[in-house]
Amino acid sequence: MNFYIETYGCQMNVADSELITSILISAGHQLVQNMDQAELILFNTCSVRAHAEERVLGRISNEQHRKKTNPNIKIGLLGCMAQRIGEKLLESNIGIDIVAGVDQYNMLPAMITSDGDFPVLLDFDSKQVYHDLMPVHQSNTCGFVTIMRGCNNFCSYCIVPHVRGRERSRPWKEVYADVKRAGEQGLKDITLLGQNVNSYHDGDIDFPKLLKYLNSIDEISRLRFITSHPKDLSDSLIEVMSSSDKICEHIHLPMQSGNNRILHEMNRNYTIEHYLSRVNKLKHAIPGIAVTTDIIAGFPSETDAEFEDTLSVMQELSFDYAFCFKYSPREGTDAAGMINQVPEEIRLSRLQQMIELQRKITYTKFRSQIGKCVEVYVESFSKKSDSFVSGKTRDYKIAVLSGTESDIGTLKKATVIDATAGTLICE
Ligand code: SAH
Ligand code: SF4
Ligand code: F3S
């Protein structure tokens, strides 16, 4: 069959779609880049906020017309939302034919050809790490490599542990082989993925040791990882980051809130003082490191004063970028059952304040790069002009500079001559 896959949510899902592609191609199916050519349409979905789910439901309903013109078309629901409510959605006859959960992707070829004998497979498999699969990378420049699956942290607002199951690490040798192979295919910028990469372990190999091994792979130029949990970010990780040439000067370290009572209610297991000391240590050990974060506005029972604490930490730390989210209650999580839910309009107004503050901070940060020499890994033509190319700096900022097709996939030294709140203009 010709299959098309549309991916929502985090990079973990992007990487899973690359695995799914590999599984289906090995079974003789063909990936197509246009939905019009597909007989099998797959949605790899996200459940992290209500909005993520609503978007997919809208997409599924929009594509139903295709089944009228071609009754052979099948629609499959995969990923976190499939895991959470896929069975219910299948029964509600909204036009889904197959539902496969996050540990069941090896079964997809059988599900597709079985003619509806087993349309739903959602069992968790606590050992599932998809051994011996070669992901089909979507990009020719930047690659994602999953190093662990699942999460054990149960932050009180978060659905991820409920839909992705318990944490497990992939064998370090498989990770090493994947990174090397990606490098051989020309992908120079590799991001390691896990919900909490700091708790990676395979026997004696912990995360800092894994990074040391991967740093020795000649075929790659840059190494990154997401996401780090502040409670587990060790001194030995900071040491390895500062001494390994390929590990980029960037860390994504979700803060979630700047107030200790809220952090406690979120079950984050650190204080804001701990968070600040980790960031300061990183900044000291790795000069120029960019720090990005995630923050939630309007967690249940958050007062105005507690929200102000978050704004003041944002000022103090001046993150290079912050992904700001409005708290979204997720059924089955502890926070969804808390009695003091913050009214929607207050959540929204707090979100807007955070976004506005961060926009100013990001603008100042980007402007402060003017005059600096940066390394740009050119990934594509710029969106605005064919005489410009675009890529990322080591510290994860988008940069544009004049260039041609032959520059794509190469590393360029450039000087920053101008900046907006999202792009460095380089020469
Ligand atoms: N494992 C990562 C990312 C998890 S999801 C981590 O621990 O950081 C990405 C981000 O979504 C989270 O960091 C959090 O800020 C946000 N998020 C998760 N659940 C949410 C919810 N119910 N409402 C709003 N934002 C949420
Ligand atoms: Fe969710 Fe917390 Fe796990 Fe991140 S660490 S995936 S926020 S439960
Ligand atoms: Fe990622 Fe969304 Fe699942 S953030 S882990 S795709 S719930």
Short mmCIF file of all heavy atoms in Angstrom, two decimals, residues 130-159:
data_model
loop_
_atom_site.label_atom_id
_atom_site.label_comp_id
_atom_site.label_asym_id
_atom_site.label_seq_id
_atom_site.Cartn_x
_atom_site.Cartn_y
_atom_site.Cartn_z
N TYR A 130 11.98 -1.35 20.32
CA TYR A 130 12.13 -1.44 18.86
C TYR A 130 13.57 -1.75 18.44
O TYR A 130 14.22 -0.95 17.77
CB TYR A 130 11.58 -0.18 18.19
CG TYR A 130 10.09 -0.03 18.38
CD1 TYR A 130 9.57 0.89 19.27
CD2 TYR A 130 9.21 -0.87 17.71
CE1 TYR A 130 8.19 1.00 19.47
CE2 TYR A 130 7.83 -0.77 17.90
CZ TYR A 130 7.33 0.16 18.78
OH TYR A 130 5.98 0.25 18.98
N HIS A 131 14.01 -2.93 18.88
CA HIS A 131 15.36 -3.39 18.54
C HIS A 131 15.54 -3.51 17.03
O HIS A 131 14.61 -3.87 16.31
CB HIS A 131 15.61 -4.79 19.12
CG HIS A 131 15.80 -4.79 20.60
ND1 HIS A 131 16.90 -4.23 21.21
CD2 HIS A 131 15.03 -5.28 21.59
CE1 HIS A 131 16.79 -4.38 22.51
NE2 HIS A 131 15.67 -5.00 22.78
N ASP A 132 16.77 -3.28 16.60
CA ASP A 132 17.22 -3.61 15.24
C ASP A 132 16.39 -2.99 14.13
O ASP A 132 16.22 -3.58 13.07
CB ASP A 132 17.24 -5.14 15.03
CG ASP A 132 18.11 -5.81 16.07
OD1 ASP A 132 19.15 -5.21 16.43
OD2 ASP A 132 17.74 -6.89 16.55
N LEU A 133 15.85 -1.83 14.38
CA LEU A 133 15.13 -1.14 13.30
C LEU A 133 15.98 0.02 12.83
O LEU A 133 16.65 0.66 13.62
CB LEU A 133 13.81 -0.58 13.83
CG LEU A 133 12.68 -1.57 14.00
CD1 LEU A 133 11.48 -0.86 14.61
CD2 LEU A 133 12.29 -2.18 12.67
N MET A 134 15.95 0.26 11.55
CA MET A 134 16.70 1.41 11.05
C MET A 134 15.71 2.49 10.67
O MET A 134 15.02 2.38 9.66
CB MET A 134 17.52 1.01 9.83
CG MET A 134 18.61 0.04 10.20
SD MET A 134 19.67 -0.27 8.82
CE MET A 134 20.38 -1.82 9.34
N PRO A 135 15.61 3.55 11.49
CA PRO A 135 14.64 4.59 11.18
C PRO A 135 14.94 5.24 9.82
O PRO A 135 16.10 5.37 9.44
CB PRO A 135 14.83 5.60 12.31
CG PRO A 135 16.10 5.26 12.98
CD PRO A 135 16.39 3.83 12.70
N VAL A 136 13.87 5.60 9.11
CA VAL A 136 14.02 6.29 7.83
C VAL A 136 13.96 7.79 8.14
O VAL A 136 12.88 8.33 8.39
CB VAL A 136 12.89 5.89 6.86
CG1 VAL A 136 13.00 6.65 5.54
CG2 VAL A 136 12.93 4.38 6.62
N HIS A 137 15.12 8.45 8.17
CA HIS A 137 15.15 9.86 8.58
C HIS A 137 14.47 10.75 7.55
O HIS A 137 14.64 10.58 6.36
CB HIS A 137 16.59 10.32 8.80
CG HIS A 137 17.24 9.66 9.97
ND1 HIS A 137 16.88 9.91 11.27
CD2 HIS A 137 18.20 8.70 10.04
CE1 HIS A 137 17.60 9.16 12.08
NE2 HIS A 137 18.41 8.41 11.36
N GLN A 138 13.68 11.70 8.07
CA GLN A 138 12.95 12.60 7.18
C GLN A 138 13.81 13.75 6.69
O GLN A 138 13.54 14.34 5.66
CB GLN A 138 11.73 13.18 7.92
CG GLN A 138 10.62 12.16 8.06
CD GLN A 138 9.49 12.67 8.95
OE1 GLN A 138 9.38 13.86 9.20
NE2 GLN A 138 8.68 11.75 9.44
N SER A 139 14.84 14.09 7.46
CA SER A 139 15.69 15.22 7.09
C SER A 139 17.02 14.68 6.56
O SER A 139 17.44 13.57 6.91
CB SER A 139 15.91 16.08 8.34
OG SER A 139 17.11 16.80 8.24
N ASN A 140 17.67 15.47 5.74
CA ASN A 140 19.00 15.09 5.25
C ASN A 140 20.10 15.73 6.07
O ASN A 140 21.28 15.55 5.79
CB ASN A 140 19.19 15.54 3.81
CG ASN A 140 18.21 14.86 2.90
OD1 ASN A 140 17.94 13.67 3.06
ND2 ASN A 140 17.65 15.61 1.95
N THR A 141 19.72 16.53 7.06
CA THR A 141 20.74 17.27 7.81
C THR A 141 20.72 17.00 9.31
O THR A 141 21.76 16.81 9.92
CB THR A 141 20.55 18.80 7.58
OG1 THR A 141 19.19 19.13 7.81
CG2 THR A 141 20.97 19.21 6.18
N CYS A 142 19.51 16.99 9.90
CA CYS A 142 19.39 16.84 11.35
C CYS A 142 18.65 15.54 11.67
O CYS A 142 17.59 15.28 11.10
CB CYS A 142 18.62 18.01 11.94
SG CYS A 142 19.41 19.58 11.63
N GLY A 143 19.18 14.77 12.59
CA GLY A 143 18.55 13.48 12.91
C GLY A 143 18.17 13.37 14.36
O GLY A 143 18.85 13.90 15.24
N PHE A 144 17.05 12.71 14.61
CA PHE A 144 16.64 12.39 15.98
C PHE A 144 16.94 10.93 16.25
O PHE A 144 16.63 10.07 15.42
CB PHE A 144 15.15 12.63 16.17
CG PHE A 144 14.75 14.07 16.01
CD1 PHE A 144 13.92 14.47 14.98
CD2 PHE A 144 15.22 15.02 16.89
CE1 PHE A 144 13.54 15.80 14.85
CE2 PHE A 144 14.87 16.35 16.77
CZ PHE A 144 14.03 16.74 15.74
N VAL A 145 17.51 10.65 17.41
CA VAL A 145 17.74 9.26 17.81
C VAL A 145 17.17 9.06 19.22
O VAL A 145 17.59 9.72 20.17
CB VAL A 145 19.25 8.91 17.77
CG1 VAL A 145 19.48 7.51 18.34
CG2 VAL A 145 19.79 9.01 16.35
N THR A 146 16.18 8.18 19.31
CA THR A 146 15.55 7.90 20.61
C THR A 146 16.50 7.07 21.45
O THR A 146 17.02 6.06 20.98
CB THR A 146 14.24 7.13 20.37
OG1 THR A 146 13.40 7.92 19.52
CG2 THR A 146 13.52 6.84 21.67
N ILE A 147 16.75 7.50 22.69
CA ILE A 147 17.62 6.71 23.57
C ILE A 147 16.84 6.02 24.67
O ILE A 147 17.32 5.09 25.29
CB ILE A 147 18.77 7.56 24.18
CG1 ILE A 147 18.25 8.64 25.13
CG2 ILE A 147 19.63 8.18 23.08
CD1 ILE A 147 19.36 9.27 25.96
N MET A 148 15.64 6.51 24.92
CA MET A 148 14.81 5.85 25.93
C MET A 148 13.35 6.12 25.62
O MET A 148 13.02 7.04 24.88
CB MET A 148 15.18 6.33 27.32
CG MET A 148 15.08 7.81 27.50
SD MET A 148 16.16 8.38 28.82
CE MET A 148 15.38 7.58 30.22
N ARG A 149 12.47 5.30 26.18
CA ARG A 149 11.04 5.47 25.96
C ARG A 149 10.34 5.51 27.32
O ARG A 149 10.86 5.00 28.29
CB ARG A 149 10.49 4.30 25.11
CG ARG A 149 11.20 4.14 23.78
CD ARG A 149 10.59 3.02 22.93
NE ARG A 149 9.25 3.36 22.48
CZ ARG A 149 8.98 4.06 21.38
NH1 ARG A 149 9.96 4.49 20.60
NH2 ARG A 149 7.74 4.32 21.05
N GLY A 150 9.16 6.12 27.35
CA GLY A 150 8.36 6.15 28.57
C GLY A 150 8.84 7.18 29.58
O GLY A 150 9.80 7.91 29.33
N CYS A 151 8.14 7.25 30.70
CA CYS A 151 8.50 8.22 31.75
C CYS A 151 7.97 7.71 33.07
O CYS A 151 6.87 7.18 33.15
CB CYS A 151 7.90 9.59 31.44
SG CYS A 151 8.35 10.81 32.70
N ASN A 152 8.77 7.87 34.14
CA ASN A 152 8.36 7.45 35.49
C ASN A 152 8.07 8.61 36.41
O ASN A 152 7.86 8.42 37.59
CB ASN A 152 9.47 6.62 36.15
CG ASN A 152 9.58 5.25 35.53
OD1 ASN A 152 8.71 4.83 34.77
ND2 ASN A 152 10.66 4.54 35.84
N ASN A 153 8.11 9.82 35.91
CA ASN A 153 8.10 10.97 36.82
C ASN A 153 6.72 11.38 37.33
O ASN A 153 6.60 11.92 38.41
CB ASN A 153 8.79 12.16 36.17
CG ASN A 153 10.30 11.95 36.15
OD1 ASN A 153 10.88 11.54 37.14
ND2 ASN A 153 10.91 12.19 35.02
N PHE A 154 5.72 11.13 36.55
CA PHE A 154 4.36 11.49 36.97
C PHE A 154 4.26 12.92 37.51
O PHE A 154 3.76 13.13 38.62
CB PHE A 154 3.81 10.47 37.97
CG PHE A 154 3.46 9.16 37.32
CD1 PHE A 154 4.37 8.10 37.32
CD2 PHE A 154 2.23 8.98 36.70
CE1 PHE A 154 4.06 6.90 36.69
CE2 PHE A 154 1.92 7.78 36.08
CZ PHE A 154 2.83 6.74 36.08
N CYS A 155 4.72 13.87 36.76
CA CYS A 155 4.41 15.27 37.09
C CYS A 155 2.88 15.34 37.11
O CYS A 155 2.23 14.74 36.24
CB CYS A 155 5.00 16.20 36.04
SG CYS A 155 6.79 16.02 35.92
N SER A 156 2.32 16.05 38.06
CA SER A 156 0.89 15.87 38.33
C SER A 156 -0.01 16.35 37.20
O SER A 156 -1.17 15.96 37.11
CB SER A 156 0.50 16.56 39.64
OG SER A 156 0.72 17.94 39.52
N TYR A 157 0.51 17.22 36.31
CA TYR A 157 -0.31 17.74 35.20
C TYR A 157 -0.22 16.88 33.95
O TYR A 157 -0.96 17.10 32.99
CB TYR A 157 0.16 19.16 34.81
CG TYR A 157 1.66 19.23 34.62
CD1 TYR A 157 2.25 18.83 33.43
CD2 TYR A 157 2.50 19.66 35.65
CE1 TYR A 157 3.63 18.84 33.28
CE2 TYR A 157 3.87 19.69 35.50
CZ TYR A 157 4.43 19.27 34.30
OH TYR A 157 5.78 19.26 34.16
N CYS A 158 0.70 15.91 33.91
CA CYS A 158 1.17 15.38 32.63
C CYS A 158 0.59 14.01 32.27
O CYS A 158 0.57 13.09 33.08
CB CYS A 158 2.70 15.31 32.66
SG CYS A 158 3.40 14.82 31.08
N ILE A 159 0.17 13.88 31.04
CA ILE A 159 -0.43 12.65 30.55
C ILE A 159 0.62 11.64 30.04
O ILE A 159 0.34 10.45 29.91
CB ILE A 159 -1.46 12.98 29.42
CG1 ILE A 159 -2.43 11.82 29.16
CG2 ILE A 159 -0.77 13.38 28.14
CD1 ILE A 159 -3.47 11.60 30.23
#
